[in-house]
Amino acid sequence: MKWKTRLGAGVTALAAVLSVVTAPAATAATATALAAPDISLANIKAHLNQLQTIANNNGGTRSPRGAGYAASVTYVENLLKNAGYTTTRQTCTSCLGQSQNLIAEWPQGDASQVIMLGAHLDSVSAGPGINDNGSGSASILETALTLARTNPAMAKRVRFGWWADEESGLVGSKYYVNNLPSSERTKIKTYLNFDMIGSKNWGYFVYDDVASVKAIFDEYFSSIGIQTEGDSEGDGRSDHASFKSAGIPVGGLATGAGDIKSSAQAQKWGGTAGSPFDNCYHRACDTISNIPDAPLEKNSDAIGYALWKLAVATTQGNDFSVALNPTAGTVQPGQSLQVAVNTATTSGSAQSISLSASGLPAGATASFSPATVQSGGSSTLTITTSASTPNGTFPITVTADGASVDHTASFSLGVGTSSCAPVSNSTRLDIPDYPGAAVNSTATVGGCARNASGTTKVEVHITHTYRGDLVLDLVAPDGTAYRLKNSSSDSTPNLDTTYTVNASSEAANGAWQLRLRDVGPADTGYLSSWTLTV
């Protein structure tokens, strides 16, 4: 934390509100937050020992006035790179010694929604700065490494920042924010700051700039029976002020600096009333021996809790989907038709599904084969009408009764209502001699015959004496081409060749095309095209 000089009117904090979205009551599976793992206290202490060693090797300090700060950046960056982070060093030209900010991003989650965590990595010249601010720096480092090790599915992008030259007046974080394009600033949905979270005579302070962010930390501390207070001592004195001034919602934690612990606070948290929260604040005695385990462990776990809640994707309960193919069909009284019932597991584990149908007209029955499936499986629905079934259009509801949830799908049954003229199950297209003028022709297949039988065949007859390489493609409405024939040239002319195309009940409705192409040396593209309407 920088020296205690109030910013006053020099910095006007922009109003920032973090939206909290309340999800509607779940109608199927309920989404639950993935629990954050423990952030290892032992590993955090190992990082702090390394920072102490760096200070010892550089005149007892990690200030950017010497080499201790640069060595700290190298230590943190190497661990992050090895864990899979994308790291960037940003030279802060306004910082002491043009020291560098270190930015690390986990390459998963929505890049347009960034949750950022930060801590200043520099110390004052007077000491090694193990609480101020090795504690925050080491804790977010271990949180970042834990995220990489567990590798959960991410809803949002997570970015970490270790700031240069905070002790001179938040210089590094100001430089970072001021050099962000406005489009990039808007992507940062929340910035969380951690500066001095291991004070020896600790309190539990939560930044109260944004109520909904504070509520996340309070939720964690309440779960372990700890009362918190707003952090008035840190207002405007750490790197969150740089983000808040840019209109970015902020939050964070602290355990106190040079302020005096009151009797009420000592009753609440223990410790010594009438003494500073950190008696070694900005002094040479801010060493590895200046940090107790209790506040460091609880605050680091609170960091993990907030990060997982804000950025990690929720897990879903067991759920599935059901779909019918086709979704409509027409029969004459006394006929039957079949419908494919397809299910898929959409989250969690597969479950047993019982199938039933309702809304059938008089004299009609429905049967499923099989009547029970595991999600991911399929069944065939057969709707059978009788001679007495009335004409009309009837909405049929297929209910998929799962072990955890239920879903429905709709089928429109037409009985004797089609205006189409019955067609045969075979439609013939005759293609004249090739090469010759391009030919375009249209054939309609389906109609009553397709709805009743589910399959219509189209015979394509090509009569030609050309000895080239011909290809016949069937092209779906979405442009997907299916190769039907590729006849290589030989000494025998291809005369009156017949290809059979099946337009089954699974075929998408719309205009399919049969296209003839010469793919030989004189390839001139598609030469003839026939539209096949299903």
Side-chain angles (χ1 to χ4, degrees):
M1 184 180 291
K2 82 178 191 71
W3 294 101
K4 190 171 183 176
T5 54
R6 299 290 181 181
L7 298 184
V11 175
T12 301
L14 302 180
V17 178
L18 179 67
S19 298
V20 177
V21 179
T22 302
T27 56
T30 300
T32 56
L34 184 66
D38 177 68
I39 308 301
S40 170
L41 175 63
N43 289 350
I44 294 171
K45 293 172 73 172
H47 301 319
L48 291 175
N49 279 315
Q50 288 297 319
L51 296 179
Q52 178 71 67
T53 298
I54 289 170
N56 294 345
N57 293 336
N58 290 278
T61 179
R62 296 183 302 102
S63 165
R65 298 179 186 277
Y69 177 77
S72 300
V73 171
T74 298
Y75 170 73
V76 173
E77 183 181 36
N78 287 341
L79 290 173
L80 293 165
K81 279 186 173 180
N82 291 335
Y85 279 85
T86 302
T87 63
T88 304
R89 291 195 186 202
Q90 180 191 46
T91 299
C92 171
T93 57
S94 53
C95 291
L96 281 172
Q98 295 198 5
S99 46
Q100 295 178 317
N101 293 321
L102 175 63
I103 310 300
E105 189 157 310
W106 186 239
Q108 294 185 27
D110 185 350
S112 68
Q113 299 188 70
V114 176
I115 302 299
M116 191 166 189
L117 292 79
H120 75 87
L121 189 54
D122 64 318
S123 74
V124 294
S125 297
I130 299 304
N131 184 34
D132 185 15
N133 180 37
S135 60
S137 293
S139 292
I140 67 168
L141 171 59
E142 187 56 31
T143 301
L145 298 177
T146 303
L147 183 69
R149 283 193 297 268
T150 56
N151 193 23
M154 303 301 296
K156 297 178 183 177
R157 188 64 56 95
V158 177
R159 186 181 302 162
F160 296 86
W162 286 264
W163 308 120
D165 203 12
E166 186 266 0
E167 296 292 2
S168 296
L170 322 180
V171 185
S173 58
K174 285 179 183 177
Y175 185 87
Y176 174 80
V177 173
N178 291 341
N179 283 277
L180 277 177
S182 58
S183 60
E184 291 299 314
R185 286 189 190 182
T186 61
K187 293 178 182 179
I188 303 176
K189 303 307 178 185
T190 309
Y191 172 76
L192 303 177
N193 194 65
F194 306 98
D195 189 354
M196 300 182 67
I197 59 171
S199 304
K200 202 162 190 177
N201 191 29
W202 68 89
Y204 289 101
F205 298 102
V206 179
Y207 296 3
D208 54 5
D209 303 84
V210 179
S212 56
V213 179
K214 182 177 186 294
I216 294 173
F217 288 113
D218 284 344
E219 184 177 76
Y220 171 76
F221 283 112
S222 177
S223 73
I224 58 174
I226 290 177
Q227 299 179 63
T228 66
E229 291 184 8
D231 182 32
S232 58
E233 182 181 16
D235 281 348
R237 293 179 55 200
S238 192
D239 295 295
H240 63 291
S242 303
F243 290 81
K244 183 176 178 179
S245 294
I248 296 170
V250 299
L253 301 174
T255 50
D259 278 7
I260 303 300
K261 178 178 274 190
S262 69
S263 297
Q265 290 170 330
Q267 273 193 326
K268 184 189 300 182
W269 297 318
T272 305
S275 294
F277 290 101
D278 184 355
N279 193 51
C280 289
Y281 173 53
H282 283 178
R283 297 173 60 195
C285 60
D286 186 10
T287 65
I288 194 70
S289 62
N290 188 45
I291 291 190
D293 288 352
L296 192 62
E297 180 174 30
K298 290 178 173 60
N299 278 284
S300 60
D301 284 340
I303 295 171
Y305 180 88
L307 174 59
W308 256 251
K309 186 148 190 175
L310 287 169
V312 173
T314 56
T315 57
Q316 302 289 328
N318 297 337
D319 201 5
F320 67 92
S321 63
V322 60
L324 306 180
N325 191 3
T327 58
T330 301
V331 295
Q332 299 302 312
Q335 292 182 332
S336 63
L337 57 77
Q338 291 186 329
V339 181
V341 183
N342 302 311
T343 69
T345 301
T346 57
S347 66
S349 302
Q351 58 188 290
S352 178
I353 302 169
S354 298
L355 300 169
S356 61
S358 59
L360 293 162
T365 60
S367 63
F368 294 86
S369 180
T372 301
V373 298
Q374 285 290 108
S375 55
S378 298
S379 178
T380 299
L381 164 63
T382 300
I383 299 177
T384 303
T385 64
S386 66
S388 63
T389 299
N391 291 346
T393 300
F394 304 92
I396 308 301
T397 299
V398 174
T399 298
D401 184 359
S404 302
V405 292
D406 298 341
H407 290 289
T408 61
S410 297
F411 181 83
S412 179
L413 173 66
V415 180
T417 58
S418 174
S419 61
C420 64
V423 298
S424 67
N425 281 350
S426 179
T427 298
R428 174 177 172 134
L429 295 179
D430 287 298
I431 300 175
D433 189 52
Y434 172 79
V439 177
N440 291 282
S441 181
T442 300
T444 299
V445 300
C448 300
R450 177 171 186 258
N451 287 328
S453 67
T455 300
T456 296
K457 291 184 179 179
V458 180
E459 291 181 350
V460 181
H461 293 260
I462 303 177
T463 303
H464 65 86
T465 58
Y466 179 63
R467 297 171 183 257
D469 293 329
L470 299 180
V471 164
L472 186 67
D473 285 343
L474 177 64
V475 183
D478 66 358
T480 304
Y482 300 88
R483 182 61 42 85
L484 302 178
K485 181 67 176 180
N486 187 349
S487 59
S488 298
S489 60
D490 53 33
S491 59
T492 304
N494 296 319
L495 300 176
D496 196 20
T497 303
T498 299
Y499 309 109
T500 299
V501 181
N502 289 318
S504 71
S505 60
E506 286 80 23
N509 291 334
W512 293 63
Q513 281 192 322
L514 288 167
R515 300 195 299 196
L516 179 66
R517 179 174 180 172
D518 175 5
V519 293
D523 186 352
T524 56
Y526 284 104
L527 301 161
S528 298
S529 176
W530 296 265
T531 300
L532 177 67
T533 302
V534 176

